Amino acid sequence: MKKLFLSIVLIISVICAKADEGMWLPYSLSDKSLAEMQQLGCKLTAEQIFSLNQPSLKDAIVQFGGGCTGELISSEGLLLTNHHCGLSYVQKHATVEHDYLTDGFWAYSKAEELPNPGLTVSFLANVEDVTDAVLEGVTDEETRSDVISENIKKLTKERKGERDVKIEIVPFYSGNQYIMFEYDVYRDVRLVCCPPWGIGKFGADTDNWTWPRHKGDFNIFRVYTDRDGKPAKYSENNIPMKSKHYLPINIKGVKEGDYAMILGYPGSTDRYSTSYTVKNIIESEAPGYINCRTTKLNEYRKHMDADQEVFIKYASKQASVSNYWKYFIGQRKQLERNHVYDRRLEQERDFRAWVFEDPTRQMIYGNIFDEIKEKWEIMDDIMMPMTYLREAGWNGGEAVAFSRRFMRINNLINEKGSKEDIAKMAEGLKAQVTTFFKDYDKDLDKDVTIALLNLFYKDIDRYVPTMIEEIGAKNGGDFTAWVEKAFEKSVFVDEAKLTKWLEKPKSLDKDPIFALAMNIIDTYANVVYPLYEEAGLLGNKGERLYMKGLMEMQTERNFYPDANFTMRLTYGTVEPYKGADAVNYNYYTTMDGVMAKYVPGNWEFDIPQDVRDLAEARDYGRYADENGNLIVNFITTNDITGGNSGSPVINGEGELIGLAFDGNWEAMSGDIMFEQKVQRTICMDARYLLWCLEKVGQVKNIINELEIIE
């Protein structure tokens, strides 16, 4: 095993990099990539961007929570991320009396900052290539997964030892390479600022994934440490982090053609997949997600619009469901519009021609598409039912989903475990019960459960759980009466009942909600998942070899690895684009556009009175551009995806100029194939961020803490 410093040797050499496409590994920047970055306006050295030996940009970038990015913006651990990344933590503090979701939250001193149990941020500390060790002992496809899993467990245990660090070993290039990442994890992260709903969530579902945008998508937290500067759980005695590196904020403004670099943690792409994958997304996966989430969102909206308390409870949940609901709508549409399936077929035809030019290639790659085809014949059969089992099944109704947490204790009860062990497990579940019911509405969940079960029975005709099949057949596909009775009887919809049950636990087998959840899981685990595993054994080797073969065939192509929530760098420029025939978009939006979208009382487009007053007076202070406008959002050619939410947009000097928060509608197929002409990253302008802090929140304490470049 060898450490990956700047001289890391990758599987392929980096040739002919393009300025916008690419999620590059920042610890292995090639000379050509760096030269192109510098030509575009980057003035930083490779070590100023990423170094394991001295402070660098990477030390300001964190994994935020379970799936976003954040960055330090002060010497005292102030951390910036997106509004939608921190929304669930804000929601936990909100009440009808203190509605931080609608009104916003501003801490005017460190004493007012709010702790967030369970929230962590992770700083990358070390990187190492462990491919040889992970693949040691792999001899065949049938045992490959098990051998790799055991090797990873062994390596992780050895590296972690007794240290309080997080170790992740991640596959790259379809499992042709494995890299180990070591993170320092900080567990005391406090809420500092959240803008009002009419800024942070402005445009909501209607504007999501589209340009032009007019959204102040930010939250600010602070990282705390113990008095020795080490990670620690929350304590009143903890102190603000002494930042190893942080980003100054530049408010000189962006212009067309300006250099823009993003460091962050993109979640998942599939840029080297086959045409079979694309076809499956269009015909099965995307429709399944869209159908289930449309049904759930319709019920959410009905109850949230009727009751502010329900709105507060479900704001974060609704946002989470709706984000990838619209993503799949856009992805499916743009995969078809951008002819991605046909382009994949063309690539595969070229690959076959290349293979059959050489007998040695034929021996290695000649049969891989037969194997891949067999895999996707199974996947095409199970994908829609598998999606419904998750989305309308065990993750459908909240009570159904929550009941799954009681599987272990129920098994222990049925196996006649000791009273002491059962009581200990029950005690451990009490806090989860309190947390669940704090943000639970029984009437909403009842309507969601009915609607999703009705949808499941109507849409799916194979691999259907027996309970859903029997109840649906008995009631003509209408689950209303059954759900009504189930909600009367089940302990999982009533906090008092469930708390009482925890005092004297007994078998849950006859609880209708629990029984339904177990029946759905049984169908998935014993009917569908074995088919999924069979598909993997048939096709995963072929897909891994296809990746390897593409890299051999296309020597002129720069094969950055697919996103997998590891740190990546993307560089490009600020640019407008043509969205369609006669549709030409500028590269920025202004506060005038916010006011033009204003709809009084509308949950998506309402604006707080104080914000309207400031806009009407054009009170923008030092954050106005040369024409007196307040720039709200801008777009760049950077290559990002989910997980990059909250990533910093950095200029050539290493200064923050914006906050990445979304992609654009015309390039929603981008996770599968980058669309060179139209793919854009949507960013919040740093000037709008500071205007919100200074003029709306009036948190001068925060403004004074920042390093602002004018």
Side-chain angles (χ1 to χ4, degrees), residues 265-279:
Y265 286 89
S268 177
T269 57
D270 205 2
R271 299 263 175 87
Y272 309 112
S273 58
T274 67
S275 60
Y276 297 97
T277 300
V278 178
K279 179 175 179 287

Side-chain angles (χ1 to χ4, degrees), residues 5 47 62 108 142-143 359 377 437 445 574 577 594 704:
F5 296 109
E47 285 208 336
V62 303
Y108 296 100
E142 285 71 23
T143 61
E377 284 175 346
F437 282 103
D445 190 35
V574 176
Y577 73 102
V594 177
N704 292 337

Side-chain angles (χ1 to χ4, degrees), residues 76-93:
E76 292 190 277
L78 270 187
L79 188 144
L80 178 66
T81 190
N82 281 160
H83 180 268
H84 67 269
C85 293
L87 186 63
S88 63
Y89 301 101
V90 179
Q91 183 269 329
K92 289 174 183 176
H93 294 292

Side-chain angles (χ1 to χ4, degrees), residues 210-429:
T210 66
W211 180 259
R213 293 291 280 281
H214 300 84
K215 186 179 181 186
D217 199 343
F218 77 94
N219 275 331
I220 295 177
F221 293 78
R222 191 187 302 276
V223 184
Y224 281 75
T225 70
D226 67 15
R227 294 195 172 274
D228 295 324
K230 296 179 180 179
K233 294 181 180 179
Y234 170 79
S235 168
E236 292 182 357
N237 296 322
N238 285 347
I239 61 174
M241 167 185 269
K242 293 179 175 60
S243 304
K244 188 175 180 180
H245 186 83
Y246 66 91
L247 302 178
I249 302 178
N250 187 302
I251 61 170
K252 295 179 182 179
V254 298
K255 302 295 183 185
E256 183 175 341
D258 281 357
Y259 176 78
M261 176 171 63
I262 292 175
L263 275 170
Y265 286 89
S268 177
T269 57
D270 205 2
R271 299 263 175 87
Y272 309 112
S273 58
T274 67
S275 60
Y276 297 97
T277 300
V278 178
K279 179 175 179 287
N280 185 267
I281 293 172
I282 293 171
E283 296 183 355
S284 298
E285 184 178 18
Y289 275 102
I290 293 165
N291 294 344
C292 294
R293 294 197 174 201
T294 298
T295 300
K296 179 178 279 191
L297 288 168
N298 287 341
E299 300 304 321
Y300 273 20
R301 194 76 265 146
K302 179 173 67 177
H303 287 267
M304 291 172 70
D305 288 345
D307 189 326
Q308 183 64 14
E309 184 176 357
V310 175
F311 174 85
I312 292 171
K313 288 181 177 180
Y314 281 81
S316 178
K317 299 174 188 177
Q318 189 273 345
S320 178
V321 173
S322 69
N323 191 39
Y324 272 82
W325 159 75
K326 192 166 182 181
Y327 168 88
F328 276 109
I329 293 173
Q331 185 187 57
R332 185 188 186 196
K333 179 177 181 178
Q334 301 306 337
L335 284 171
E336 294 178 321
R337 178 176 180 262
N338 294 321
H339 307 291
V340 175
Y341 177 71
D342 294 334
R343 290 153 71 188
R344 282 286 201 273
L345 284 176
E346 182 179 357
Q347 177 176 273
E348 289 158 19
R349 283 193 292 269
D350 292 343
F351 183 81
R352 286 187 177 94
W354 175 79
V355 167
F356 284 95
E357 288 173 355
D358 183 280
T360 303
R361 294 178 200 154
Q362 290 182 46
M363 291 178 62
I364 301 172
Y365 304 114
N367 298 320
I368 65 171
F369 284 107
D370 295 335
E371 299 168 0
I372 293 170
K373 181 182 178 182
E374 288 184 70
K375 169 183 176 176
W376 285 99
E377 284 175 346
I378 296 174
M379 293 300 293
D380 288 344
D381 181 51
I382 66 174
M383 181 57 76
M384 185 77 81
M386 193 161 62
T387 302
Y388 273 65
L389 284 165
R390 289 194 300 262
E391 291 285 314
W394 75 66
N395 284 329
E398 283 182 278
V400 174
F402 183 60
S403 73
R404 293 187 289 120
R405 302 188 190 185
F406 290 73
M407 290 173 62
R408 286 183 60 217
I409 191 171
N410 192 60
N411 289 338
L412 190 61
I413 292 168
N414 290 341
E415 293 165 1
K416 309 297 183 184
S418 71
K419 291 184 178 179
E420 291 79 9
D421 287 344
I422 293 171
K424 183 178 180 181
M425 198 174 290
E427 185 66 28
L429 287 165

